Amino acid sequence: MLDESLLDTPEALAEADHRALLRGAAEAGARVRTAARHATEAGVHELKPDGRPRAILLAGPGAAATCVADLLGTLAGTACPVTRLAPAGVAPAAGALRWELPGWAGSVDLLIVTTPDGSEPGLSLLVEQAYRRGCTVVAVAPAGSPLADAAGAAHGLFVPMATAPYEQDEQPPVAASAPGVLWALLTPLLALLDRIALITAPPEELERVADRLDHIAERCGPAVATYSNPAKTLAAELADSLPVIWTEGTSAGPAGRRFAAALAELAGRPSLVAELPEALAAHNALLAGPLAAGADPDDFFRDRVEEAPALHARVVLLRDRPIGGLTAAPAARELALSHDTPISELEPEAGDELVTLAELIAMTDFAAVYLALASGA
């Protein structure tokens, strides 16, 4: 059950936030600036690349690495394929995970390793394997970690991860889907891909991203009441609902998948995610089935105190600005409403692709954090 009264009590939110999730969301802009400075100090802007890599291979544990690979692949587009190397192992523990390079990887490929831990032996072994194959290696991880030493031994580029003091003392470790972790790992890689001409993310663009994140933190902060706070409003709307996340636009796709991962890891909530227009066919039967809002006519007579509420679908439409006015949003609204399914919509303010993407991620990160705190996750 969601405690909606907690959403409008900043002191109670702070007391419930044992994992410093709200602080991480509020500090996202500052984290981008710190990570960009670390990239500069590591020499990213002084690199003299010999053309673009044939392929980018990205390795790392958890939802953070998955999201970073998804974002970089979306931004790079067809210029260069970005593939995440999924780990194998018997448990999701640092000492149990192992990664392997594909057989075709060689001297024309780039291996990127991202991790908020840095103690994974499997990643250090992967870096050694990449060095023997002739791959270029770039690593983003906490300073002083074993992975930093492995990257140095492989003559790779190491960028210290931008961390906060409270994260270093956190027990258990900060969740991979935490807002601060994403921006600390992603920002240096945006600067790197700008340097090798795969995307456009110069220092001034990263500063605009940080400014937009600061702006969202002001709009969605814990002191802002629910009625004027889009993140709190979305969290309240998703109470006792199955989020069906539909995305439209290139940037909205990875933002929707990131939202689903954050809901699962931070708030313990299942969700479904798909891109328009295919989502309309993929989820039509779902909205017409027992999860539809009007599927249980007896729900009106349910004892609101003694009985748990039925789980019903709620569509969350994340939209990037459509190109050329071509949009499936009207059809999405019509399908949802025809099945009595409520719909929430988020659309960023005008800006460059990277800036609007940052806004969608920040808004949904705040919503996932509020949902986690108000439901006691």
Side-chain angles (χ1 to χ4, degrees):
M1 294 291 291
L2 186 77
D3 183 2
E4 293 192 34
S5 64
L6 186 143
L7 291 177
D8 285 326
T9 312
E11 297 80 7
L13 282 171
E15 186 177 348
D17 191 12
H18 305 297
R19 295 176 287 175
L21 297 176
L22 267 179
R23 183 185 298 185
E27 294 175 350
R31 193 69 64 100
V32 167
R33 295 185 182 94
T34 302
R37 186 178 70 250
H38 285 183
T40 300
E41 294 171 352
V44 168
H45 299 294
E46 299 172 3
L47 295 174
K48 296 180 173 58
D50 296 327
R52 297 175 175 179
R54 176 182 61 178
I56 295 176
L57 305 171
L58 193 142
T66 301
C67 184
V68 168
D70 192 8
L71 290 166
L72 294 181
T74 298
L75 294 170
T78 59
C80 179
V82 178
T83 302
R84 179 181 180 247
L85 302 180
V90 297
L97 297 175
R98 294 292 183 269
W99 288 261
E100 289 290 337
L101 287 176
W104 49 263
S107 59
V108 293
D109 302 309
L110 169 63
L111 172 67
I112 296 176
V113 180
T114 61
T115 172
D117 186 341
S119 67
E120 301 92 345
L123 288 178
S124 296
L125 292 173
L126 180 69
V127 168
E128 295 174 10
Q129 183 185 10
Y131 177 62
R132 293 194 300 270
R133 296 267 200 98
C135 297
T136 302
V137 176
V138 175
V140 182
S145 63
L147 183 60
D149 297 334
H155 303 288
L157 175 67
F158 176 76
V159 182
M161 177 182 170
T163 57
Y166 60 86
E167 288 180 343
Q168 298 169 9
D169 300 331
E170 192 78 9
Q171 293 294 332
V174 178
S177 292
V181 172
L182 171 65
W183 293 109
L185 296 177
L186 177 64
T187 304
L189 302 180
L190 294 175
L192 173 68
L193 266 61
D194 174 76
R195 186 61 182 170
I196 59 180
L198 285 178
I199 66 173
T200 301
E204 55 271 21
E205 180 72 2
L206 295 180
E207 184 62 31
R208 284 192 287 269
V209 168
D211 290 342
R212 182 64 65 91
L213 292 173
D214 288 343
H215 174 63
I216 298 303
E218 293 175 0
R219 289 183 60 196
C220 300
V224 181
T226 299
Y227 67 85
S228 58
N229 187 321
K232 286 184 180 180
T233 299
L234 180 58
E237 290 172 344
L238 294 180
D240 307 319
S241 298
L242 172 68
V244 179
I245 304 167
W246 291 348
T247 67
E248 183 174 59
T250 304
S251 298
R257 292 185 286 273
R258 155 76 180 179
F259 188 29
L263 286 173
E265 184 170 2
L266 303 183
R269 296 298 185 97
S271 60
L272 300 172
V273 60
E275 297 187 20
L276 293 177
E278 288 88 350
L280 303 181
H283 292 160
N284 183 31
L286 182 147
L287 297 185
L291 291 174
D296 185 6
D298 295 330
D299 185 64
F300 179 80
F301 301 100
R302 174 178 58 84
D303 188 319
R304 305 289 164 174
V305 177
E306 299 295 334
E307 299 180 31
L311 185 67
H312 294 308
R314 185 182 188 97
V315 171
V316 180
L317 179 58
L318 303 182
R319 298 181 65 209
D320 193 6
R321 296 186 175 271
I323 299 176
L326 186 65
T327 174
R333 299 185 190 104
E334 181 180 355
L335 176 63
L337 296 178
S338 68
H339 293 302
D340 297 322
T341 300
I343 183 169
S344 305
E345 297 190 38
L346 290 180
E347 183 173 333
E349 298 177 10
D352 296 333
E353 181 182 19
L354 195 54
V355 174
T356 58
L357 174 59
E359 178 174 339
L360 284 175
I361 291 174
M363 294 272 280
T364 51
D365 274 353
F366 266 106
V369 169
Y370 284 129
L371 190 59
L373 298 181
S375 59

